[in-house]
Amino acid sequence: GAVVSQHPSRVICKSGTSVKIECRSLDFQATTMFWYRQFPKQSLMLMATSNEGSKATYEQGVEKDKFLINHASLTLSTLTVTSAHPEDSSFYICSAAGTLPRDTIYFGEGSWLTVV
Amino acid sequence: AQKVTQAQTEISVVEKEDVTLDCVYETRDTTYYLFWYKQPPSGELVFLIRRNSFDEQNEISGRYSWNFQKSTSSFNFTITASQVVDSAVYFCALSEANTGANSKLTFGKGITLSVRP
């Protein structure tokens, strides 16, 4: 079964509004989670590294004020897309490093965001 | 900078055929980790394997096998006797040891595998 859960799986929002996506590690604590973005038929691009209790580290070219990341607990990281625009429509997926015996990187189910 | 190249973009095979998905990587690190993930149409990424740079042994898991060749910087994935359920996009990825084995990944562009009945 899934060890990293994302919610919502699909969301449609209006331009100018904000939308929050949650990423939870289900049976382990994750001090670090990662947020990726994937455009249709393209690869995954790292957006930011989410660190529990501290500020996220954003990749070059990612607007930190637009993509707000909060990692308030060891099992939850959130990505908020602020003032969404149609070009923000994409597939967003998070990952977390598991702990033994799940010693690898697990991904959530992903969230499809459509901005209309 | 690290880079993962999956030169094949789309592969189509008939069920029961064997198929090999290629992955070539670039990194300056001597210690690194290689991954394969499967992404079915639903979107989630399914973990298939993680291999560290010091372990060049080939691995077999059921119909899946992986061939790691440091000399050619390749980590190829073979599916034996393919099935329709194997149809998906397959990603090869790399992480560097200095950021941790289970850290941020650099992905290849993915290979879309279609298995026809």
Side-chain angles (χ1 to χ4, degrees):
Chain A
V3 296
V4 176
S5 176
Q6 263 184 259
H7 178 80
S9 57
R10 290 183 181 274
V11 59
I12 300 173
C13 70
K14 292 185 177 180
S15 286
T17 62
S18 296
V19 61
K20 181 185 287 187
I21 301 170
E22 295 185 346
C23 177
R24 293 182 184 273
S25 55
L26 297 182
D27 60 358
F28 63 94
Q29 294 181 332
T31 56
T32 305
M33 291 184 177
F34 304 90
W35 287 95
Y36 293 82
R37 182 175 183 177
Q38 184 181 28
F39 290 105
K41 296 185 184 270
Q42 293 192 26
S43 189
L44 288 83
M45 300 299 296
L46 179 67
M47 297 175 65
T49 301
S50 171
N51 303 298
E52 188 269 333
S54 64
K55 292 184 179 180
T57 304
Y58 289 82
E59 295 298 303
Q60 192 171 12
V62 177
E63 299 176 62
K64 59 183 68 175
D65 293 331
K66 180 165 189 62
F67 298 101
L68 300 179
I69 291 172
N70 183 277
H71 195 150
S73 78
L74 286 171
T75 59
L76 174 64
S77 175
T78 60
L79 167 68
T80 301
V81 182
T82 63
S83 187
H85 290 284
E87 57 265 30
D88 298 325
S89 299
S90 186
F91 184 64
Y92 295 89
I93 191 166
C94 69
S95 72
T99 52
L100 288 172
R102 298 179 183 277
D103 184 24
T104 189
I105 303 173
Y106 291 96
F107 282 81
E109 306 97 323
S111 300
W112 295 93
L113 170 63
T114 302
V115 184
V116 297
Chain B
Q2 43 187 4
K3 183 179 178 181
V4 176
T5 301
Q6 295 181 264
Q8 304 151 309
T9 53
E10 295 185 14
I11 300 175
S12 181
V13 299
V14 176
E15 209 169 18
K16 297 184 183 177
E17 282 186 22
D18 299 346
V19 58
T20 295
L21 311 180
D22 298 333
C23 174
V24 174
Y25 61 91
E26 294 176 31
T27 178
R28 293 178 182 173
D29 283 359
T30 55
T31 303
Y32 49 89
Y33 299 84
L34 295 162
F35 300 75
W36 275 95
Y37 286 88
K38 173 183 180 179
Q39 186 177 43
S42 53
E44 78 271 23
L45 282 176
V46 179
F47 168 78
L48 297 178
I49 191 171
R50 184 188 82 178
R51 175 53 52 87
N52 75 55
S53 53
F54 294 109
D55 184 1
E56 287 195 72
Q57 277 194 330
N58 292 332
E59 180 152 342
I60 298 175
S61 176
R63 295 184 297 107
Y64 296 168
S65 62
W66 290 269
N67 184 296
F68 179 28
Q69 298 275 349
K70 284 184 77 170
S71 60
T72 56
S73 297
S74 65
F75 187 43
N76 297 337
F77 173 33
T78 297
I79 301 175
T80 304
S82 60
Q83 300 176 2
V84 173
V85 293
D86 295 327
S87 297
V89 180
Y90 290 85
F91 289 98
C92 180
L94 170 72
S95 72
E96 292 178 329
N98 65 348
T99 55
N102 296 325
S103 184
K104 57 182 181 179
L105 299 177
T106 298
F107 283 87
K109 292 189 175 181
I111 302 170
T112 300
L113 174 65
S114 299
V115 181
R116 310 186 305 276

